[in-house]
Amino acid sequence: MGERGGRAAEVVVRVLRGFSGVIAAGTVVLALVVVGAEVLGYRRGFPGPGAADVAWHVAGAVVALGAQIFADRRHGFAAFCGSLVVFAVAGYLLWAQWWN
């Protein structure tokens, strides 16, 4: 049972790592959209998201991408923790920048 339990845990971490990869990519796309909205607003003379929002999104995307790269290069608990960082950063961005 120990060998099967180890395989099952590795499969769970692999699936979690894949899902966190999607979330990390989403934070990068979201940061690009926010930067694009700021540039478009500046060029057309209407208020965009603002420098603080742009900075938070870019910083969040960089951290999430770094954590995902860390998770992809590790196995086991380290990969699990890297994936959790991705989820935490994405959750914080959504909570602080979109729902607040």
Side-chain angles (χ1 to χ4, degrees):
M1 178 156 155
E3 186 177 325
R4 282 180 37 183
R7 286 184 193 166
E10 187 61 34
V11 168
V12 168
V13 170
R14 188 177 299 172
V15 169
L16 183 67
R17 207 169 47 209
F19 187 58
S20 67
V22 171
I23 300 299
T27 60
V28 171
V29 170
L30 186 60
L32 292 174
V33 168
V34 171
V35 168
E38 180 67 20
V39 169
L40 188 64
Y42 178 76
R43 286 187 176 179
R44 297 207 175 162
F46 64 88
D53 290 336
V54 170
W56 276 107
H57 280 84
V58 170
V62 167
V63 171
L65 196 58
Q68 184 61 38
I69 291 170
F70 175 85
D72 285 341
R73 294 181 179 176
R74 303 294 192 277
H75 297 285
F77 188 69
F80 176 77
C81 289
S83 294
L84 286 183
V85 169
V86 172
F87 294 129
V89 167
Y92 179 77
L93 274 176
L94 287 175
W95 181 261
Q97 299 297 315
W98 291 89
W99 296 331
N100 194 3

